[in-house]
Amino acid sequence: MKVAVIGANGQLGSDLVAAFSQNGDTVIALNHSDIEVADRKSVSGALVAVVPHVIVNTTAMHHVENCESEPEKAFAVNALGPRNLALLARDQDAVLMHVSTDYVFDGAKGTPYTEEDAPRPLNVYGVTKLAGEHFVRATAPRHFVIRTSGLYGKSPCRAKGGLNFIELMLKLAKERGKVRVVDSEVVSPTSTEELAQQIVRLSRSDSYGLCHATAEGSCSWHAFAAEIFALTATPVDLQVAEPNEFPAKVARPIYSVLENRVLKKAGLNVFKPWQEALQKYLGERVKSPSTQLAS
């Protein structure tokens, strides 16, 4: 198939380009300089002549604080951008695969969220991402809206200063010898490599609609850090941060674990326990020094 990956140089996008290429697909890798999703003319200019069978949208304005201070820009990118792509996908009879977020929930449930649970975002980022979901679901007949959580991957994430959580923990341990991490926020740390494989698998199906796609299991950020240090045999004094020691400027869900119920019912779930994906990432990190350049 011919697959257009939007945000191809990002943390997830780079793994998607590799995964679709390894699958034998023709990949059109589009970066911000190639397409501005909030501009409908830019979307048409980049995609009409290409005529892709599948469009995968990984773009987002996902710096939570910036979304709060620039809501119009966040809405343009996170909501109108997916709408523009959905309109084009509809007109070209293409499949649109749109990546969304656990931040559409408020975290109050306390047990894993399924696709049937009603969203209740706490901040502008979550509101605009939810609006993007609605635009896609209402506009593109053949679509996948894929919610995920706690992403990390080999490629740098610009919105996080180039460091994912793993690299940040290892950097702080090396520099300080002591690290304090919250244990009140619970997520499912998810490898972008594994998510990319899941998206390729989905692209071969007709199970269109909304689905959750995260690693199996969940943990607090503190427990995630503990596993990172244990697997790397890193000497560090890991401590639990006090409540409000790192006060958030914007409200965030403290529990955002997603259950891949739709994928499992369709027999499409490829995810393994989060510990296995972490172990693989760390093993490849040792083999490939380029993974550590950002740190």
Side-chain angles (χ1 to χ4, degrees):
M1 295 196 301
K2 188 185 294 184
V3 182
V5 176
I6 304 175
N9 61 342
Q11 186 172 225
L12 172 59
S14 59
D15 280 332
L16 280 167
V17 170
F20 276 110
S21 298
Q22 291 164 8
N23 195 59
D25 297 308
T26 300
V27 179
I28 299 94
L30 300 172
N31 303 323
H32 185 70
S33 58
D34 304 310
I35 184 171
E36 173 50 70
V37 295
D39 183 338
R40 193 170 178 185
K41 289 183 179 179
S42 176
V43 169
S44 296
L47 293 173
V48 165
V50 173
V51 194
H53 301 106
V54 177
I55 302 167
V56 187
N57 180 37
T58 72
T59 63
M61 181 176 172
H62 50 71
H63 190 289
V64 177
E65 287 80 9
N66 288 351
C67 288
E68 210 70 20
S69 61
E70 301 178 84
E72 296 88 353
K73 183 178 178 181
F75 188 81
V77 175
N78 295 342
L80 296 182
R83 178 179 182 271
N84 291 336
L85 294 170
L87 288 167
L88 185 136
R90 181 191 67 188
D91 293 345
Q92 293 198 331
D93 192 29
V95 174
L96 175 59
M97 308 187 79
H98 174 64
V99 180
S100 192
T101 176
D102 54 329
Y103 272 47
V104 299
F105 296 112
D106 64 4
K109 184 183 178 186
T111 56
Y113 286 95
T114 70
E115 293 83 355
E116 291 78 22
D117 286 317
R120 187 178 177 271
L122 297 176
N123 51 47
V124 170
Y125 170 64
V127 168
T128 56
K129 288 294 289 182
L130 181 60
E133 289 187 8
H134 286 309
F135 277 131
V136 169
R137 297 175 72 182
T139 307
R142 296 196 296 154
H143 69 264
F144 295 95
V145 171
I146 304 160
R147 292 178 183 151
T148 192
S149 166
L151 292 182
Y152 65 88
K154 296 186 292 290
S155 295
C157 179
R158 289 173 296 173
K160 298 178 181 177
L163 294 180
N164 63 37
F165 183 80
I166 299 167
E167 300 301 331
L168 177 61
M169 290 299 101
L170 293 172
K171 180 175 184 289
L172 292 177
K174 181 178 180 181
E175 293 176 353
R176 303 178 183 179
K178 180 172 72 175
V179 179
R180 297 175 63 81
V181 184
V182 296
D183 69 349
S184 56
E185 296 178 18
V186 179
V187 297
S188 295
T190 302
S191 157
T192 52
E193 182 181 7
E194 200 168 37
L195 178 57
Q197 293 168 355
Q198 180 67 74
I199 290 173
V200 171
R201 176 80 180 275
L202 263 181
S203 73
R204 265 51 194 181
S205 80
D206 57 1
S207 298
Y208 304 121
L210 170 67
C211 66
H212 291 172
T214 65
E216 293 297 318
S218 62
C219 61
S220 69
W221 289 112
H222 181 274
F224 189 30
E227 188 73 6
I228 293 165
F229 296 140
L231 289 173
T232 55
T234 298
V236 62
D237 179 12
L238 175 61
Q239 301 178 354
V240 176
E242 295 294 330
N244 300 318
E245 184 174 336
F246 305 113
K249 298 177 182 177
V250 180
R252 302 165 188 252
I254 61 170
Y255 183 96
S256 57
V257 179
L258 305 180
E259 168 61 29
N260 303 346
R261 178 174 291 181
V262 168
L263 290 176
K264 290 174 182 176
K265 283 185 177 180
L268 295 170
N269 187 56
V270 306
F271 288 99
K272 300 178 179 65
W274 64 265
Q275 296 92 334
E276 291 186 30
L278 173 61
Q279 191 165 13
K280 182 180 180 184
Y281 172 92
L282 291 171
E284 292 176 350
R285 183 182 187 274
V286 172
K287 296 176 186 176
S288 177
S290 62
T291 306
Q292 305 172 50
L293 290 179
S295 61

